Amino acid sequence: MNRSLNLAGACAALAVAGYILLPSNISNEEESSSKLPTVGLVSIQVPPLEGNAAVGARIFENACATCHGSNASGIEGAGPPLVHKIYKPSHHSDESFQRAVARGVKSHHWRFGDMPRITGLTRGDVTMVIAYIRQVQRANGIN
């Protein structure tokens, strides 16, 4: 189990490096419109994304979607949906996302197992991912 968690962390770091090093020819409008609607563990709508949220979406898809699903909709047996009332700002602050990435987190809401710490992401990267998650949450009535 620990070996697979290390592999997941290494994959996340490689994904972030690929995101940083490879240019994207897709505009934010084309990128976000291709994601409407998305079905994972929860069905969500993704609003048009701009600025930090658009950058955060790209980082998320490269570093987090392996476990949390495309557009944070979750993956059965891998990771919970982050577009869920459990993760609303009044229950899980932005800092709780920062700490989860930096330190990992013990499973406490779901039966997905513990989340390992994720290497290769800066606080700034995670701040942009949080902007993305919060914008998608608001678009789905989670405030």
Side-chain angles (χ1 to χ4, degrees):
M1 180 74 167
N2 196 16
R3 186 176 182 183
S4 65
L5 294 178
N6 288 337
L7 179 59
C11 289
L14 287 173
V16 171
Y19 161 75
I20 292 168
L21 297 174
L22 296 175
S24 173
N25 294 327
I26 300 173
S27 73
N28 291 341
E29 183 176 280
E30 290 171 347
E31 186 176 284
S32 63
S33 66
S34 68
K35 297 178 183 175
L36 292 171
T38 298
V39 177
L41 291 179
V42 295
S43 182
I44 62 168
Q45 294 292 316
V46 179
L49 302 170
E50 296 179 356
N52 287 347
V55 174
R58 290 181 59 197
I59 295 169
F60 183 92
E61 292 299 321
N62 287 315
C64 311
T66 301
C67 294
H68 290 288
S70 182
N71 297 313
S73 60
I75 295 178
E76 186 65 45
L82 300 176
V83 181
H84 190 279
K85 65 183 179 181
I86 286 177
Y87 296 102
K88 67 183 178 180
S90 64
H91 192 257
H92 280 87
S93 68
D94 292 357
E95 186 60 27
S96 69
F97 284 96
Q98 290 282 359
R99 289 180 183 172
V101 170
R103 300 178 186 168
V105 64
K106 294 280 187 191
S107 178
H108 58 285
H109 289 297
W110 309 91
R111 294 184 180 167
F112 291 98
D114 298 342
M115 177 181 158
R117 88 182 187 94
I118 306 300
T119 58
L121 294 177
T122 67
R123 281 189 66 87
D125 294 334
V126 178
T127 296
M128 288 186 233
V129 169
I130 293 165
Y132 162 65
I133 291 168
R134 296 303 189 204
Q135 187 169 345
V136 176
Q137 286 176 333
R138 284 189 300 274
N140 288 274
I142 300 168
N143 297 312

